[in-house]
Amino acid sequence: MRISKIVPAIAGLAIVAGLQTPGYASEHEVLKMYVNSGDLGKLQVPPGTETTFDETTIHCPQDTCTLALSAMLEIHSADYQGEWGIVAMVDGQYVDSPYGPYQGYEPIASYVTGNWQGNYTVSKGPHTVTFQIYPQISVLLDQWSDTVIITTP
């Protein structure tokens, strides 16, 4: 069998199974967007804790909506080197696995900026979106921003 016949067959199986093949995104219509930012002025966060740096309530006007989420956070460590992650939750449920994907190591006595993106499907009605940091070391929080885009489907 030629490869040109195998690839469409595999793509067809993915569509039948309800899976998206890598590299293909479905089209969404933007309904509303929430954008927020701030400066926490070196708020100290203890290690091993989830600390909220922003939270907002959104409303899905359709039967289902897809939330396109993103966040940026600048941190500073004064004493140790360790990993940290940006955590996003919708209605108390993790968008990613607990603690989110790690951003990497925070160098000692230096600033670092991390970015995160994800999406989450919700039903009609109000929903609470929470952005947090999870550090393995004590860090100071500085500048942050996040975006919640409500789309359909």
Side-chain angles (χ1 to χ4, degrees), residues 46-61:
T49 62
E50 291 180 15
T51 300
T52 298
F53 63 89
D54 194 27
E55 184 171 85
T56 190
T57 299
I58 59 94
H59 182 79
C60 170

Side-chain angles (χ1 to χ4, degrees), residues 1-152:
M1 181 181 277
R2 292 188 347 212
I3 191 77
S4 62
K5 291 184 180 181
I6 295 173
V7 173
I10 293 171
L13 288 175
I15 292 169
V16 170
L19 304 174
Q20 289 184 349
T21 53
Y24 296 96
S26 58
E27 186 174 318
H28 294 269
E29 179 183 337
V30 174
L31 302 175
K32 195 173 259 192
M33 182 184 306
Y34 295 79
V35 178
N36 202 5
S37 63
D39 184 347
L40 295 170
K42 296 185 176 32
L43 174 70
Q44 186 160 4
V45 177
T49 62
E50 291 180 15
T51 300
T52 298
F53 63 89
D54 194 27
E55 184 171 85
T56 190
T57 299
I58 59 94
H59 182 79
C60 170
Q62 308 286 333
D63 288 338
T64 61
C65 296
T66 299
L67 305 181
L69 309 165
S70 65
M72 179 281 301
L73 185 59
E74 178 187 53
I75 66 170
H76 176 80
S77 173
D79 46 10
Y80 297 102
Q81 181 179 14
E83 292 186 311
W84 64 289
I86 295 174
V87 179
M89 295 192 302
V90 177
D91 298 331
Q93 301 297 312
Y94 291 103
V95 174
D96 293 316
S97 60
Y99 315 127
Y102 281 111
Q103 297 290 317
Y105 279 95
E106 163 55 26
I108 297 172
S110 180
Y111 289 90
V112 68
T113 301
N115 292 281
W116 174 90
Q117 295 180 12
N119 60 62
Y120 197 84
T121 302
V122 295
S123 59
K124 187 174 188 171
H127 300 278
T128 302
V129 179
T130 306
F131 293 100
Q132 300 179 325
I133 180 174
Y134 175 79
Q136 291 182 338
I137 57 169
S138 178
V139 297
L140 305 174
L141 302 184
D142 288 310
Q143 302 286 327
W144 62 271
S145 67
D146 57 62
T147 304
V148 178
I149 302 172
I150 302 171
T151 71
T152 186

